[in-house]
Amino acid sequence: MKFNDVLENLTNYEAGKPIELVVREFGVKEKDVLKLASNENPMGTSKKVQKALKKAAAHAHLYPDDSMFELKDALSSKYKIKPENIIIGSGSDQVIEFALHAKTNSKNAILVAGTTFAMYEIYAKHTGAKIYKTQSKQHDLDEFSKIYKEKKDEISVIFLCIPNNPLGECLDRKDVYKFIQSIDKDVLVIIDGAYNEFATFKDSKKEIKPKDLLDKFSNVLYLGTFSKIYGLGGMRIGYGIASEQIIKALSKLRAPFNVTTPSLVAALEVLKDEKFVEDTLKNNLKEMKKYEKFAKKNGLEFIPSYTNFITFLFKKQDSSEICDKLLRQGIILRNLKGYGMNAIRITIGLPKDNQRVLKALKELL
């Protein structure tokens, strides 16, 4: 059977290993498996959300509100913007897909950092677009500017992951705004803020405000998600914020009822639970310092992180070997060999989780 040519060079996104796989393959008891590979919220899911979901189950036979009025209204209040500036997706990566199908084809290209979220490239290849990457693995805006000037006639979308996944570094707000000002207004600049709440809590200079973007730029799409700080990874819900012109264009690609009723209920409820968010931020920052201290004490290089994970870089040891040995102990971390790096990304867990990881790492090192 013949398929589209773009599929020939397309690789699947490598998700973090599920708990069930470790139980099945290594005989580890489920209660002993520790998953710190996918940057899920170690605090779990808000109790308020759990309670609301039980009520929502009674309406599972009904289609969701396709206007998503309540959630858009809540987000518009949070960010002080209009509901017309918001689109809801099944995860923020669905909004990425909308954007690339709206702006790219085989005649143009996207520009990304050397190492960043893999779905930017995968979705771009769906449309036949070229991918230009910086030599630097982390975000270097001078390199972005240089490539943009050289390939200006081709580049139609630029991605800035702030902070960056899977490495953790984060650009300053003032540098981002200065860069966007140098970009042609017909080029869509996508700012992926999946982890921006963590960056903002650590350093206010990293905060990207969607309202600022709307007020200053007509060609920027901001992405947010409920999967990370809000603890709703399993509900698959995210959003995009942009000018009405951009939102109208993306909405033409959205299938009806693309987000489930439970997902809408969960997202709406967790926005009200400020304590859950605050507890998540405090735990993350406090526990991050333990990993940094461990790295310095053991001569490990790490990337200063503004997310809910930290990246350890290895010179002597092999990251694949370390991940495999930890996996057999029931500890799931993210090996970055697939990104061409001898490195491991570790989601920041609860105190007892981090203590277990650091003890196991110490023994291997």
Side-chain angles (χ1 to χ4, degrees):
M1 184 180 289
K2 177 71 174 173
F3 294 101
N4 287 339
D5 293 340
V6 295
L7 295 181
E8 290 182 13
N9 298 314
L10 200 61
T11 55
N12 292 334
Y13 176 77
E14 184 187 342
K17 288 181 172 59
I19 291 172
E20 294 80 6
L21 181 144
V22 179
V23 172
R24 187 171 62 248
E25 292 193 7
F26 301 111
V28 180
K29 293 180 181 178
E30 186 172 340
K31 66 179 181 64
D32 295 328
V33 178
L34 175 58
K35 185 185 178 190
L36 295 177
S38 300
N39 307 333
E40 293 145 330
N41 192 324
M43 310 291 286
T45 303
S46 161
K47 293 291 191 295
K48 292 182 178 180
V49 169
Q50 294 177 40
K51 186 177 179 181
L53 285 175
K54 289 179 181 178
K55 291 182 179 180
H59 304 287
H61 62 296
L62 300 174
Y63 284 114
D65 171 16
D66 196 48
S67 74
M68 307 180 203
F69 172 80
E70 288 187 281
L71 182 55
K72 286 183 181 179
D73 190 58
L75 287 169
S76 67
S77 296
K78 174 180 171 63
Y79 291 118
K80 297 178 174 55
I81 58 176
K82 295 187 294 184
E84 290 78 13
N85 295 124
I86 303 168
I87 185 170
I88 308 297
S90 178
S92 58
D93 54 324
Q94 188 180 50
V95 184
I96 295 170
E97 184 179 17
F98 294 157
L100 288 172
H101 278 272
K103 279 291 290 180
T104 62
N105 54 48
S106 59
K107 297 179 181 178
N108 48 43
I110 69 167
L111 174 58
V112 299
T115 298
T116 193
F117 186 41
M119 292 310 299
Y120 306 152
E121 181 174 347
I122 291 172
Y123 282 136
K125 285 181 176 178
H126 286 188
T127 70
K130 293 181 184 177
I131 292 89
Y132 291 117
K133 297 181 179 182
T134 62
Q135 287 277 322
S136 301
K137 290 187 177 298
Q138 300 182 37
H139 283 68
D140 184 324
L141 290 179
D142 288 336
E143 278 196 65
F144 269 84
S145 295
K146 184 175 183 293
I147 296 172
Y148 172 68
K149 289 173 183 176
E150 291 173 354
K151 305 294 183 180
K152 193 172 182 179
D153 293 339
E154 296 178 62
I155 295 171
S156 61
V157 177
I158 298 173
F159 282 95
L160 299 176
C161 196
I162 308 174
N164 188 24
N165 176 29
L167 301 185
E169 90 280 359
C170 189
L171 295 166
D172 280 356
R173 176 180 59 249
K174 63 179 179 60
D175 296 328
V176 173
Y177 290 179
K178 183 179 178 182
F179 172 76
I180 298 172
Q181 288 171 349
S182 70
I183 303 302
D184 188 86
K185 295 296 179 283
D186 194 47
V187 175
L188 179 62
V189 179
I190 300 179
I191 293 180
D192 191 339
Y195 299 88
N196 199 249
E197 294 92 349
F198 296 101
T200 299
F201 188 72
K202 187 174 184 178
D203 185 350
S204 61
K205 295 194 298 294
K206 309 296 184 183
E207 183 180 16
I208 302 291
K209 296 180 179 179
K211 189 176 188 306
D212 284 352
L213 297 176
L214 286 173
D215 291 343
K216 295 175 184 291
F217 313 108
S218 61
N219 62 325
V220 177
L221 170 64
Y222 178 88
L223 302 174
T225 183
F226 287 93
S227 295
K228 306 304 176 185
I229 194 168
Y230 292 111
L232 298 180
M235 303 307 294
R236 304 307 301 125
I237 183 162
Y239 55 92
I241 296 174
S243 67
E244 289 186 49
Q245 181 192 27
I246 292 173
I247 296 301
K248 284 180 180 177
L250 302 191
S251 296
K252 292 180 179 180
L253 295 164
R254 184 184 71 83
F257 314 118
N258 64 314
V259 176
T260 68
T261 298
S263 298
L264 291 170
V265 168
L268 186 62
E269 201 61 39
V270 79
L271 285 174
K272 304 172 188 175
D273 197 344
E274 295 180 3
K275 187 178 185 305
F276 177 80
V277 172
E278 185 180 351
D279 289 345
T280 296
L281 290 168
K282 287 180 177 178
N283 175 76
N284 185 73
L285 191 60
K286 181 181 178 181
E287 293 299 305
M288 178 81 74
K289 292 175 182 177
K290 294 180 182 178
Y291 281 94
E292 293 173 347
K293 184 178 179 180
F294 175 88
K296 291 173 184 176
K297 186 176 179 180
N298 291 278
L300 275 179
E301 187 179 346
F302 67 94
I303 299 173
S305 176
Y306 293 86
T307 63
N308 66 343
F309 61 82
I310 190 167
T311 301
F312 281 176
L313 308 169
F314 297 92
K315 292 180 180 178
K316 296 179 181 179
Q317 294 85 5
D318 182 84
S319 62
S320 297
E321 187 177 330
I322 292 173
C323 280
D324 184 62
K325 287 182 177 179
L326 290 174
L327 200 60
R328 293 171 189 277
Q329 297 180 41
I331 299 173
I332 310 173
L333 306 182
R334 187 63 179 267
N335 183 16
L336 297 186
K337 275 289 177 69
Y339 287 88
M341 299 177 69
N342 186 32
I344 292 174
R345 189 189 70 186
I346 308 169
T347 304
I348 306 300
L350 296 174
K352 61 180 177 62
D353 301 330
N354 301 321
Q355 184 178 4
R356 180 182 169 191
V357 172
L358 294 174
K359 183 176 182 294
L361 272 175
K362 177 67 175 175
E363 290 172 357
L364 289 177
L365 294 176

